[in-house]
Amino acid sequence: MSHKVTLVPGDGIGPEVVRATVAVLEATGAKFEWQEVEAGADFMLKHGTPLPDHVLNSARSTGVALKGPMTTPIGGGYTSPNVALRKGLELYACLRPVRSLPAVESRYSDVDLVVIRENTEGLYSGIEHLVHPGVVESLKVVTDHASLRVSRFAFEYAKARGRRKITAIHKANIMKMSDGLFLECSRQVARDYPEIEYDEMIVDATCMKLVMDPHQFDVLLMENLYGDILSDLCAGLVGGLGLVPGANIGDDCAVFEAVHGSAPDIAGKGLANPLALIRSSCLMLDHIGETEASEKVDRAIIQMLRAGEPRTPDMGGTARTMDIADAIIQRLG
Ligand code: ATP
């Protein structure tokens, strides 16, 4: 059976890592019918919007998308197409499994935790205004609806994967109402899963504890901004942004993308590490029922890492993006 998948190369290093990932997926034996759609910074220059309707329409019709990063201008400029895509498709849960890989230089070994981030609201609601020259407001929106559904997702995920504990991350000592509501919803859902341990931790203390001993954590559940920041922090625990996969999941659609952004500093040079997106594509293969292909790619990545090369510059090597794809393909067996 051939799987219809929307393909969004994005911009920056996006097209490079997407090309490498598609080459690996095509070599697994699984069959795909790609619907490639343009979006991102270059599309914005030509057509005045970074996220045209055809992207959302294609993803709605296929139900699955593989996506490269898209640049979000800092300060002014257009709103983030990545956030708009997650909101437009109601991809309310962002899933980022953070696992140590063999032979990858990092401060820790045997890290195995999962970041689950609310994806549609919080401070990413995009509601900002000028109150008076020199004074701006940015609103953090928290609803019971969104908090309950992401909590439910986290507990169902933990149950299905045999994970033992969920820690809800918050700053409810300061944001008593917004983070307070998020916690209330997490506690309400936790009561339905007595077999899974549940606790809570303030976000700043969590950062310190993650850096000192990440092994004490299992599944971390949090709102949007803390999820964005902690995802990068956790990526740093296991070798960096070039390695960590991600998925944005809703009831009708799922979009698979790496944690990293468009990395304009290395774009177009063939130096980007495609492993984060290739590993995101393993999550996609699991999602569409191609578990055998997913395991094959995972095994090939581990064999390649154990061999010590090829490695892209972020991992201390000199290899190029497509060298990684080729080395994985050779080991698919
Ligand atoms: P965003 O805000 O869009 O998520 P970011 O601020 O997290 O982006 P990135 O674009 O992810 O920033 O880049 C952060 C740093 O990590 C940059 O120095 C970049 O070159 C590096 N980096 C990110 N992704 C990769 C990759 N796949 N391979 C190698 N280096 C990467």
Side-chain angles (χ1 to χ4, degrees), residues 194-239:
E195 70 281 16
I196 297 167
E197 199 187 321
Y198 170 78
D199 66 1
E200 295 165 357
M201 198 175 281
I202 293 182
V203 63
D204 39 356
T206 311
C207 291
M208 180 197 69
K209 289 184 184 192
L210 274 166
V211 169
M212 291 185 77
D213 177 19
H215 303 106
Q216 62 191 295
F217 294 99
D218 192 359
V219 178
L220 304 175
L221 166 65
M222 64 205 86
E223 59 84 85
N224 216 335
L225 175 65
Y226 310 149
D228 195 2
I229 297 169
L230 262 67
S231 294
D232 277 25
L233 188 153
C234 289
L237 301 173
V238 296

Side-chain angles (χ1 to χ4, degrees), residues 155-165 196 218-219:
F155 278 90
E156 280 297 316
Y157 177 88
K159 190 171 145 188
R161 302 283 187 304
R163 315 278 320 200
R164 71 195 151 80
K165 184 167 97 178
I196 297 167
D218 192 359
V219 178

